[in-house]
Amino acid sequence: SMLDGEGVIYLADLVDGGLKNKRHYPVKKGDTFCISGNTAHQLYAKTQLDFIFLCPDSHLSTDRIVLDDLC
């Protein structure tokens, strides 16, 4: 949930080790979004961002793949 600021969320479907259906959306104060499984994501800040980030413990350990920039 975005508490303050403006940015862009970049998303892509992770399919067979590759990225498909790349897309991006502006985000701003008041916006809320959910990242589905097998979705690469990157949040780009245009201004100072304040947001609440919730995720399962596995996202910070075993369920994490680092990719090149999506933007």
Side-chain angles (χ1 to χ4, degrees):
S1 200
M2 302 297 295
L3 302 176
D4 202 10
E6 293 182 19
V8 178
I9 184 77
Y10 290 86
L11 305 167
D13 300 327
L14 188 58
V15 179
D16 297 325
L19 299 175
K20 306 286 184 192
N21 191 27
K22 289 185 179 182
R23 55 213 183 268
H24 63 279
Y25 306 96
V27 293
K28 64 185 181 324
K29 180 179 179 178
D31 289 348
T32 299
F33 51 88
C34 180
I35 308 298
S36 301
N38 293 317
T39 303
H41 51 283
Q42 180 176 1
L43 184 59
Y44 172 80
K46 288 187 172 183
T47 68
Q48 175 68 37
L49 291 179
D50 295 319
F51 59 94
I52 296 173
F53 172 71
L54 301 172
C55 70
D57 290 340
S58 62
H59 180 69
L60 301 175
S61 58
T62 59
D63 182 26
R64 187 172 190 146
I65 300 170
V66 178
L67 303 167
D68 291 334
D69 285 344
L70 294 176
C71 44

